Amino acid sequence: MTTSETADTAPDHDPAVIEALLEAAVTRLRTVGALRSEEVERAVRAVPRHAFAPEFPLEEVYDPRAVLITRRAEGGGATSSVSAIWVQTLMLERARLEPGMRVLEVGGGGYNAALIAEVVGPTGTVVSMDIDPVVTERARGFLARTGHSDRVEAVVGDAEHGHPAGAPFDRIIVTVAATDLPPAWTGQLVDGGRLVLPLGVRGHQRITVFTKQGGDLLVGETGNHAGFVPMQGAGAPAPRMVPVTGAVELVTDADPVPAPKALPGVFALSAHQVRSGVRIGGMEPFSTLQMWMTGLSGFGLLTGTAEDFVHRPMVPNAIPAVWDGATLAYLLLPKVPDPAEAYEYVACGHGPRAEETAAALAEHVRVWDREHRNGPGPRFLAHPDLPGADGVIRTRHTRLLALWDRTEHDHALDWKADTRE
Ligand SMILES: C[S@@+](CC[C@H](N)C(=O)[O-])C[C@H]1O[C@@H](n2cnc3c(N)ncnc32)[C@H](O)[C@@H]1O
């Protein structure tokens, strides 16, 4: 791994410049709904964010949408960052922290842990855990400099095991992408405690808040789309890649996966297209459609760009698709002539069951349009022993059931925030 330039001594900054940038950030966060309470606002004003990212220019540090990448793997992928302020404040608001609480932060760096420490106050406890000793060491230095080291314990550890020595926790706030709910998290949370995390469900990551209902049952509310760095260690995701053709692969965690020889060559078979009749404007968000599609059995995401396909897919590289034996269907989003800025979802199937699979996919889009299009997305039930039924997503540690009959909108922003954290 490599670390981007690490500054041991913070540069001298003009306090008036910091004040102006902070003021602008707070106003923006309030406007978009990422900052709502006096307590979190006070924390944002109290903790000098620039002290946790001394190698970045102030304008970037206080840009509410900027992710400050602090560490990369040899291949260049980001492995650690100071997350964007909008997502940090949103998660803290949704955690509903109170003075005196015991909090575990998974994924360290220091800044977010200092914010938590400010909200839970001197009677609270914060443990900030990171799998990377370099990140932990750096965080310890920053926390000492800002006067938070006696209120935040920065430890090295793998999220998979939680932090038994500090349990039970009133809140667990995970700041790294999770695709599963390890038993340690549920076990180390008090009844009624809240687990806030960027939960990736079949490739779609959303800020989700689970409340422990007793025993191992968690009930979760989904919220904004997010893009945190991937989990390392024992809980690192291991999606299966099934070759289709050239650069196109089907990435799926479905169980069972398609046989390796089932899909190659499928695009050479003639395509069958089914129009859904569902239109969408150029700037309209469709993230609830993506989440809605994850409930289909045989769901996966196709890699590749328009040039790799016979018919142009709706988006590049994370193209929602379903497979059924040797048949593959995915969505296209061609422009319609009238009105000028509208597009229509069209299901495109290849393979022996192209017609039925494409028709089922188009119908799935119609149901989304009728029932969920303007809704907040699903609520989740998570329990390791949930009976396997249609729509239940199996992960290594648990079973997730998406319930779509939500009416209330819990803390979604008016921002389409899809920057990587
Ligand atoms: C987005 S950064 C955390 C941001 C941070 N909380 C802040 O103050 O902005 C994600 C961190 O998670 C850490 N991480 C990745 N996998 C982990 C694991 N299994 N256990 C603990 N930490 C992990 C990475 O090393 C990285 O530092």
Side-chain angles (χ1 to χ4, degrees):
M1 282 192 188
T2 57
T3 312
S4 66
E5 182 195 344
T6 318
D8 278 339
T9 49
D12 286 335
H13 291 304
D14 179 351
V17 173
I18 295 173
E19 186 53 38
L21 290 169
L22 179 63
E23 204 53 52
V26 166
T27 305
R28 185 79 184 114
L29 291 166
R30 283 265 182 208
T31 308
V32 297
L35 184 57
R36 294 172 183 226
S37 68
E38 292 308 313
E39 293 77 7
V40 177
E41 179 173 334
R42 212 175 299 128
V44 170
R45 291 185 181 282
V47 181
R49 183 171 163 91
H50 54 279
F52 293 85
E55 65 271 49
F56 290 88
L58 284 180
E59 289 69 22
E60 211 177 326
V61 170
Y62 286 96
D63 173 349
R65 298 186 71 170
V67 180
L68 313 173
I69 296 179
T70 50
R71 201 150 158 77
R72 292 184 182 276
E74 294 298 348
T79 60
S80 191
S81 62
V82 180
S83 302
I85 321 177
W86 77 265
V87 80
Q88 292 175 319
T89 55
L90 181 89
M91 289 174 78
L92 296 191
E93 295 287 8
R94 296 196 66 193
R96 298 196 194 143
L97 298 169
E98 287 169 26
M101 281 188 164
R102 300 176 66 80
V103 183
L104 173 64
E105 183 203 37
V106 172
Y111 176 66
N112 192 51
L115 293 179
I116 298 169
E118 289 289 334
V119 183
V120 299
T123 55
T125 310
V126 185
V127 177
S128 175
M129 154 189 290
D130 204 286
I131 199 166
D132 186 341
V134 174
V135 173
T136 305
E137 209 37 57
R138 188 175 137 102
R140 283 185 188 136
F142 294 151
L143 289 162
R145 251 169 258 146
T146 59
H148 290 90
S149 51
D150 56 338
R151 295 158 66 181
V152 177
E153 187 191 357
V155 300
V156 178
D158 188 337
E160 182 78 1
H161 313 297
H163 187 62
F169 296 100
D170 299 297
R171 301 288 184 263
I172 298 180
I173 300 178
V174 180
T175 63
V176 55
T179 51
D180 207 342
L181 301 170
W185 297 354
T186 321
Q188 292 172 24
L189 198 59
V190 299
D191 278 353
R194 287 164 85 85
L195 165 66
V196 183
L197 78 169
L199 181 68
V201 176
R202 295 190 160 168
H204 296 298
Q205 196 187 112
R206 295 179 74 136
I207 303 296
T208 305
V209 182
F210 284 100
T211 305
K212 181 166 161 175
Q213 302 281 329
D216 294 331
L217 179 65
L218 296 169
V219 178
E221 299 282 340
T222 54
N224 277 84
H225 187 54
F228 277 77
V229 296
M231 182 77 77
Q232 303 167 45
R240 260 80 52 103
M241 321 282 280
V242 183
V244 179
T245 183
V248 182
E249 289 179 308
L250 180 74
V251 185
T252 182
D253 56 8
D255 186 14
V257 283
K261 290 198 179 130
L263 297 177
V266 68
F267 286 168
L269 305 174
S270 63
H272 189 93
Q273 295 192 13
V274 179
R275 291 179 58 171
S276 69
V278 176
R279 291 181 172 192
I280 187 160
M283 296 301 285
E284 249 182 86
F286 50 74
S287 66
T288 58
L289 172 63
Q290 290 172 307
M291 189 60 98
W292 172 240
M293 287 196 55
T294 63
L296 288 166
S297 69
F299 176 81
L301 291 171
L302 290 170
T303 59
T305 55
E307 296 70 46
D308 302 310
F309 287 80
V310 186
H311 302 280
R312 188 191 185 86
M314 66 180 263
V315 285
N317 285 324
I319 304 145
V322 285
W323 55 272
D324 175 7
T327 300
L328 188 62
Y330 58 96
L331 287 179
L332 320 177
L333 196 56
K335 222 163 191 301
V336 294
D338 183 33
E341 277 315 305
Y343 299 78
E344 180 180 342
Y345 290 107
V346 173
C348 178
H350 293 263
R353 289 174 47 77
E355 200 171 335
E356 300 95 295
T357 312
L361 190 52
E363 178 56 20
H364 204 65
V365 174
R366 284 182 212 112
V367 176
W368 168 77
D369 179 51
R370 273 199 312 272
E371 297 175 19
H372 308 299
R373 181 171 185 154
N374 299 313
R379 169 177 287 153
F380 280 117
L381 286 188
H383 193 280
D385 300 327
L386 221 55
D390 247 16
V392 171
I393 293 168
R394 289 165 47 159
T395 63
R396 186 153 64 96
H397 293 306
T398 197
R399 305 279 181 273
L400 279 171
L401 176 63
L403 304 170
W404 280 86
D405 57 350
R406 290 176 59 186
T407 47
E408 79 273 30
H409 214 309
D410 183 11
H411 265 73
L413 299 189
D414 63 357
W415 240 349
K416 188 172 172 290
D418 53 4
T419 13
R420 287 204 75 77
E421 295 309 310

